[in-house]
Amino acid sequence: MNKNDLITLEITDITNEGFGFGKYNGMAVFVPLTAVGDEIEAKVLKVNKSYAYAKLEKLLLPSPDRIENDCPAFGKCGGCAFRHISYNAELKAKESFVKDAFMKIGGFETENINFLPIEPSDEIERYRNKLEMPVGINESGEMYCGFYAQRSHRIIPVNDCLLQPEIFSEIAWFIVQKAKALKISAYNEERHEGVLRHIFLRKAENKPDGGLCCVIVAKRKVPEFNRLARELSEQFPQITGIVLNINPDKTNVILGEKEILLCGKADITDEMCGVPVEISPKSFYQVNTKTAEKIYRKATEFANPSGKVILDLYCGAGTIGLSMAKNAKKIIGVEIIPEAVENAKANAKRLGVQNAEFICANAGDTATLGISEKPDVILLDPPRKGCDEKTLDFCASLSPARIVMISCNPATAARDCKWLSELGFRVNAVQAFDLFPRTRHVECVVLLSRDK
Ligand code: SAH
């Protein structure tokens, strides 16, 4: 097989990157934007030793899974991977991503684990409560906003993202228009010059009056932002707070250290599983509130918290642990972001929970800091990179009866479960949750128990 060859191919599987997969003369070929069951003509773009990448040229026989894509940015924007297949086909693919990770990366035998059927999201459009849009300048010198293309920082213009509430697009483009009028320049990442970097919006989902916070991320403070904030709050009375976040660094991290409150208040208040949650712009908060609630309920079922001491590692604003606090003996939360720890303490206070304490620390350092009581159950809800070995060793050394892992990355979840299984824990059950419909991402909840 050579570059630019035209080949015919049947797509037999979807990879966790969202690419269709087929075999041509024994060689694995990956083709984006295809569906299981498609028969296609593809143009070979790149050939490696045992696999190749190709581009869909002609759809010879479409898969029954195919549906009409309704987003003009699909295929260019790095957000959605599955706007061209039915939701059922997407769920089936995601369920197998999780299972495959536990088999191939974790080395588990699937018959030894209870794989529960994937839990769908009730909403597959406009389910997000958070928007992060980079701002750029196009070839004709016009400022615009959009989303990064896959594995790139090229900004694809997006007028109205179908995963976001409509109001978010309206606010984002209003900011861009006003910034232009006020002669605020767009930030250029390569040259590290210009001012306006990102637009960050977050709203309360379950409490409609809980707030909508707008964070404007800029390289430095300019006086025109006060004017922009005034016009923004006049136009959108739903906005309860506008924050100017200063991020002067050459970095991929969106939010900088310094925050200037331009109007209203920075925190919003939502409710999850009956727990009031105060969230500041820097605190992690699940983007699909309704499906996250299903995850928390499953985590509670797996944890069986009644009368137990629960160690909630990577606790964020404390939501999961606090949703179990009523029946538990004690909750100990550990989180690295100080603002999130403050939110967690305030959330516990507002709930009237007295049996919770929160520590600001790196999860792996909890061993050296010491904790007040030995946990019966450990909750692990790490970021995409998973847990480090130090944290897992510490968890195992505490010898809890159960560990409940919540993960947005099946690959690192399977890796970490393998490590825990070598330290005397058994993986009992795994359930996938579609927290991010139409994207390639999938969440999973795992129950591990101590072997003896
Ligand atoms: N359990 C929370 C947050 C989960 S997201 C919820 O459901 O809302 C992961 C969290 O881990 C984030 O809040 C992040 O700030 C935190 N975190 C990342 N690395 C960490 C580390 N090394 N130690 C402790 N917390 C960490």
Side-chain angles (χ1 to χ4, degrees):
M1 194 187 297
N2 294 304
K3 193 176 164 180
N4 293 330
D5 280 0
L6 281 178
I7 57 172
T8 53
L9 197 67
E10 189 190 339
I11 301 299
T12 54
D13 209 348
I14 292 187
T15 70
N16 58 9
E17 295 277 314
F19 292 174
F21 165 90
K23 279 207 158 168
Y24 185 81
N25 290 342
M27 176 99 146
V29 186
F30 300 99
V31 194
L33 307 178
T34 54
V36 173
D38 275 348
E39 278 180 41
I40 61 165
E41 186 176 83
K43 185 173 181 177
V44 177
L45 298 179
K46 196 172 170 192
V47 187
N48 288 325
K49 241 191 199 146
S50 57
Y51 62 93
Y53 285 102
K55 181 173 140 243
L56 174 65
E57 279 289 303
K58 202 195 273 169
L59 201 50
L60 303 174
L61 189 69
S63 151
D65 291 343
R66 276 196 174 264
I67 57 165
E68 199 68 43
N69 157 45
D70 52 359
C71 174
F74 179 57
K76 300 186 276 280
C77 165
C80 289
F82 300 122
R83 300 203 75 82
H84 63 306
I85 59 171
S86 70
Y87 189 48
N88 269 341
E90 176 183 345
L91 289 172
K92 208 171 135 211
K94 288 181 172 177
E95 199 171 61
S96 66
F97 298 166
V98 173
K99 224 177 196 173
D100 282 359
F102 277 81
M103 279 159 63
K104 292 179 187 153
I105 301 167
F108 296 100
E109 307 275 340
T110 44
E111 51 276 20
N112 295 336
I113 299 178
N114 181 14
F115 281 97
L116 297 160
I118 185 167
E119 181 66 44
S121 176
D122 293 342
E123 312 284 342
I124 59 171
E125 304 284 7
R126 306 206 183 275
Y127 58 84
R128 287 185 62 98
N129 58 29
K130 180 172 92 169
L131 170 103
E132 287 166 320
M133 259 186 160
V135 175
I137 291 280
N138 67 17
E139 278 149 14
S140 23
E142 291 276 310
M143 190 189 293
Y144 73 107
C145 58
F147 295 103
Y148 292 131
Q150 192 153 14
R151 288 211 196 87
S152 142
H153 273 202
R154 193 161 47 87
I155 305 168
I156 307 296
V158 175
N159 285 330
D160 178 29
C161 169
L162 295 169
L163 305 187
Q164 308 283 353
E166 275 168 296
I167 180 91
F168 280 5
S169 311
E170 289 168 24
I171 295 173
W173 282 98
F174 183 88
I175 294 174
V176 167
Q177 298 312 333
K178 287 294 158 190
K180 262 193 230 172
L182 292 165
K183 307 248 178 316
I184 297 171
S185 60
Y187 176 69
N188 179 308
E189 201 176 35
E190 271 166 33
R191 295 204 293 271
H192 191 48
E193 59 184 38
V195 174
L196 180 55
R197 297 175 72 128
H198 265 86
I199 297 162
F200 175 115
L201 304 168
R202 181 137 75 180
K203 73 177 182 72
E205 183 70 33
N206 284 338
K207 274 187 71 182
D209 57 351
L212 192 164
C213 177
C214 168
V215 185
I216 301 164
V217 190
K219 191 178 158 194
R220 59 173 193 279
K221 183 170 165 50
V222 291
E224 284 78 6
F225 279 118
N226 281 317
R227 169 104 181 263
L228 195 153
R230 242 188 346 264
E231 294 187 15
L232 196 53
S233 52
E234 271 165 27
Q235 180 76 17
F236 298 99
Q238 306 91 323
I239 297 179
T240 46
I242 304 176
V243 174
L244 180 64
N245 175 285
I246 310 292
N247 187 353
D249 299 333
K250 204 167 166 44
T251 168
N252 282 341
V253 179
I254 295 176
L255 296 179
E257 283 287 310
K258 194 172 166 198
E259 278 179 358
I260 302 164
L261 188 62
L262 298 178
C263 79
K265 61 187 184 71
D267 289 0
I268 61 164
T269 316
D270 206 358
E271 205 172 275
M272 271 186 93
C273 294
V275 177
V277 275
E278 182 178 283
I279 318 139
S280 52
K282 282 188 193 146
S283 299
F284 173 87
Y285 188 52
Q286 293 286 6
V287 298
N288 176 347
T289 318
K290 298 233 157 60
T291 309
E293 287 183 296
K294 295 188 190 180
I295 291 174
Y296 287 11
R297 283 194 282 271
K298 180 53 75 177
T300 304
E301 181 197 315
F302 279 172
N304 190 21
S306 195
K308 310 269 170 55
V309 176
I310 314 250
L311 176 62
D312 181 6
L313 292 181
Y314 311 89
C315 72
T319 36
I320 301 188
L322 288 173
S323 72
M324 302 181 189
K326 209 164 53 196
N327 300 320
K329 183 177 170 210
K330 187 172 193 175
I331 308 285
I332 306 166
V334 179
E335 161 64 43
I336 205 163
I337 304 274
E339 286 87 347
V341 176
E342 288 314 309
N343 286 157
K345 288 179 181 165
N347 290 333
K349 200 165 166 194
R350 196 159 334 113
L351 251 187
V353 166
Q354 310 219 322
N355 58 340
E357 61 185 51
F358 295 95
I359 306 167
C360 186
N362 181 339
D365 293 339
T366 321
T368 30
L369 292 171
I371 47 171
S372 57
E373 220 168 318
K374 192 177 124 29
D376 306 295
V377 179
I378 299 179
L379 307 178
L380 291 172
D381 186 8
R384 283 190 69 71
K385 67 173 190 240
C387 304
D388 55 20
E389 290 167 5
K390 195 170 155 195
T391 306
L392 296 172
D393 289 347
F394 166 60
C395 291
S397 74
L398 292 168
S399 195
R402 294 179 180 201
I403 296 177
V404 178
M405 186 184 285
I406 299 146
S407 166
C408 56
N409 186 344
T412 54
R415 178 202 68 195
D416 293 349
C417 283
K418 182 177 186 204
W419 190 264
L420 287 169
S421 72
E422 283 157 16
L423 296 172
F425 290 83
R426 190 175 51 236
V427 176
N428 301 89
V430 177
Q431 185 167 22
F433 286 79
D434 191 23
L435 197 56
F436 313 99
R438 311 277 96 178
T439 76
R440 65 193 167 86
H441 298 289
V442 58
E443 190 92 2
C444 61
V445 183
V446 186
L447 170 63
L448 299 105
S449 62
R450 201 178 48 219
D451 244 346
K452 287 178 280 308

